[in-house]
Amino acid sequence: GTSCGSVLVFDVPSKGSNITLSEVLEEHREPITDIASESSRNEDGVADLVTADDSGLLCVWKSGEDFSLVNKIPAYGCSCSSVKLWCGVVVAGYGSGQIRLYDGASGSVYAEVNAHARWIYALDVAPDTGTLLSGAEDSLVRIWKLSRTPETNRIEIEHRHTECVTDVQICGAKFCDSEGNAFAVTGYDLSEIIRYMLV
């Protein structure tokens, strides 16, 4: 993603170093803030890439011989700083401290949570369990559980845990495994990575 809003797609060979530019995706008009992909977990195969920009616009893509635009999720007047894909669900974190869950194919909103008091800088999803992690400038890391209701096929989000990293503006957080049993965080002006185990 570039500061002019273009998303550059490169062809990287399995051997050798002959990397070539294969495509330029030009749906955004603001700087790209984050890009997330999902390979085989999306059963319906409708979308496997999402791009976010500084205005909050999200573009959902399907990869293949060429990338095709599946959906544009409109901006809400706040920058989208972090985005993830999980089973076709777009999880977006905003400068307002909100987390929004969207259906990747239709763009409809599943849920909106006032998750943090300040800017969300990090999201991660443990793909095997649907456990979501959010980290923000308010020094909090929050753990959420994403689940799909069988009756309605809608996504629900439930708060599970909050960890305060005292006097640290969280700027990075990630699960250490695919089940979400441990996570690591770092902060602005912090020279270390702090690891936590969930018990």
Side-chain angles (χ1 to χ4, degrees), residues 39-105:
S39 53
S40 60
R41 300 200 182 271
N42 187 356
E43 294 171 7
D44 59 11
V46 172
D48 50 17
L49 181 78
V50 61
T51 54
D53 72 24
D54 202 34
S55 74
L57 174 71
L58 304 175
C59 290
V60 183
W61 306 86
K62 174 68 180 160
S63 64
E65 181 99 4
D66 293 314
F67 280 82
S68 58
L69 182 66
V70 174
N71 196 6
K72 283 175 98 168
I73 300 172
Y76 285 96
C78 192
S79 180
C80 178
S81 51
S82 188
V83 69
K84 294 293 174 204
L85 266 175
W86 177 73
C87 297
V89 176
V90 176
V91 183
Y94 293 88
S96 62
Q98 291 181 323
I99 295 173
R100 293 191 181 109
L101 307 179
Y102 302 95
D103 178 74

Side-chain angles (χ1 to χ4, degrees), residues 26-189:
E26 302 205 40
E27 290 294 326
H28 293 277
R29 300 294 169 254
E30 299 289 330
I32 302 298
T33 53
D34 201 11
I35 299 173
S37 64
E38 180 178 42
S39 53
S40 60
R41 300 200 182 271
N42 187 356
E43 294 171 7
D44 59 11
V46 172
D48 50 17
L49 181 78
V50 61
T51 54
D53 72 24
D54 202 34
S55 74
L57 174 71
L58 304 175
C59 290
V60 183
W61 306 86
K62 174 68 180 160
S63 64
E65 181 99 4
D66 293 314
F67 280 82
S68 58
L69 182 66
V70 174
N71 196 6
K72 283 175 98 168
I73 300 172
Y76 285 96
C78 192
S79 180
C80 178
S81 51
S82 188
V83 69
K84 294 293 174 204
L85 266 175
W86 177 73
C87 297
V89 176
V90 176
V91 183
Y94 293 88
S96 62
Q98 291 181 323
I99 295 173
R100 293 191 181 109
L101 307 179
Y102 302 95
D103 178 74
S106 69
S108 61
V109 178
Y110 283 128
E112 179 179 274
V113 180
N114 293 321
H116 291 272
R118 299 190 64 187
W119 199 289
I120 295 174
Y121 274 114
L123 290 177
D124 197 21
V125 179
D128 293 350
T129 59
T131 305
L132 170 67
L133 173 150
S134 62
E137 279 186 339
D138 59 5
S139 301
L140 299 178
V141 177
R142 291 210 158 110
I143 305 297
W144 313 83
K145 175 66 177 167
L146 303 178
S147 58
R148 192 178 293 274
T149 57
E151 309 84 39
T152 62
N153 203 30
R154 299 207 31 101
I155 297 295
E156 294 183 350
I157 182 170
E158 176 188 356
H159 178 257
R160 290 289 177 88
H161 179 74
T162 297
E163 192 69 41
C164 180
V165 187
T166 307
D167 298 327
V168 174
Q169 291 181 330
I170 306 294
C171 65
K174 184 149 181 65
F175 283 117
C176 300
D177 57 53
S178 63
E179 294 181 352
N181 296 318
F183 63 91
V185 300
T186 191
Y188 176 74
D189 226 9

